[in-house]
Amino acid sequence: MKRIGILGGTFDPIHNGHIGLAEDAMEQAGLAKVILIPARLQPFKLDKQITEGNYRLEMAKLATAPIKGLEVSDYELRHDSISYTYKTLRAMVLEEGLEKKSCLYFITGTDAFLKVSTWKHAEEMLRNYSFAVGSRPGYRDAELDQCIERLKTVYNTDIVKIENRKRDISATEIRHRLEGGKSLSGLVPEAVERYIEEHGLY
């Protein structure tokens, strides 16, 4: 049974942390591919100003192009509504022609996963889809393990704990470095850095 990973986010800009998580999830959860989906309007970031979607989409395509198994979808950017995860997962099941919803793994980090019960239609997602959770040794380990066991017991959810081997990188940190005229070496793919420079982003 083919497993497909979904990694959503603002990707403003996409960076090596995102790519590293996608690659680690693909390897450790046995995923055939991972689809990265830039958000149009994230429910927890409605008060934030974000870069236009076409720029973020193009950067995501540039970042994933050299890596086998990584793809990009403009699904959320094509819709004017808030980018709720449950809507995206429903759509991906249809677009990918999946026979069983258990084929779909939503990839997220520890902090976000610990709040999964607060997401819109959380119960639907936990009952119908699987999760791959990026973690780091020593970071909220006990709390994450307890959360995973509780959700598995209550919803029978398939949850794979991923050892995310890339160091933590934040898009905020990258934007601050750009504002200060500092190098992005090691933080974003070279093609993304060139695109940012060419288009005068951030």
Side-chain angles (χ1 to χ4, degrees), residues 62 191-201:
L62 289 170
V192 171
E193 185 171 11
R194 287 195 301 270
Y195 186 87
I196 289 171
E197 291 174 357
E198 290 169 2
H199 292 81
L201 303 179

Side-chain angles (χ1 to χ4, degrees), residues 12 39 79 146 151 187 189 196:
D12 193 18
H79 295 78
Q146 289 173 3
L151 295 175
L187 300 177
I196 289 171

Side-chain angles (χ1 to χ4, degrees), residues 11-19 59 62-63 166-167 169-171 173-175 177-178 182-197 202:
F11 301 132
D12 193 18
I14 193 167
H15 53 65
N16 289 339
H18 297 129
I19 300 301
M59 286 189 285
L62 289 170
K166 295 276 186 180
R167 74 178 183 85
I169 302 171
S170 77
E173 170 193 358
I174 289 169
R175 292 194 296 270
R177 290 185 70 86
L178 286 165
K182 297 179 180 178
S183 169
L184 298 184
S185 177
L187 300 177
V188 302
E190 290 182 6
V192 171
E193 185 171 11
R194 287 195 301 270
Y195 186 87
I196 289 171
E197 291 174 357
Y202 310 110

Side-chain angles (χ1 to χ4, degrees), residues 68-88:
K68 184 180 180 181
L70 297 191
E71 299 180 2
V72 178
S73 168
D74 65 351
Y75 169 76
E76 292 186 355
L77 294 175
R78 286 189 272 117
H79 295 78
D80 293 333
S81 57
I82 294 174
S83 302
Y84 287 115
T85 301
Y86 79 93
K87 287 184 178 179
T88 300

Side-chain angles (χ1 to χ4, degrees), residues 5-87:
I6 303 295
L7 178 58
T10 309
F11 301 132
D12 193 18
I14 193 167
H15 53 65
N16 289 339
H18 297 129
I19 300 301
L21 176 57
E23 290 183 301
D24 289 338
M26 194 159 49
E27 177 185 331
Q28 296 173 41
L31 306 178
K33 66 178 178 180
V34 172
I35 304 171
L36 287 81
I37 307 180
R40 183 179 183 89
L41 294 169
Q42 281 197 317
F44 300 116
K45 295 184 179 181
L46 295 178
D47 60 337
K48 305 288 186 183
Q49 184 174 354
I50 59 175
T51 304
E52 288 183 22
N54 61 309
Y55 290 127
R56 293 183 289 115
L57 180 67
E58 190 59 33
M59 286 189 285
K61 288 179 177 179
L62 289 170
T64 57
I67 305 170
K68 184 180 180 181
L70 297 191
E71 299 180 2
V72 178
S73 168
D74 65 351
Y75 169 76
E76 292 186 355
L77 294 175
R78 286 189 272 117
H79 295 78
D80 293 333
S81 57
I82 294 174
S83 302
Y84 287 115
T85 301
Y86 79 93
K87 287 184 178 179

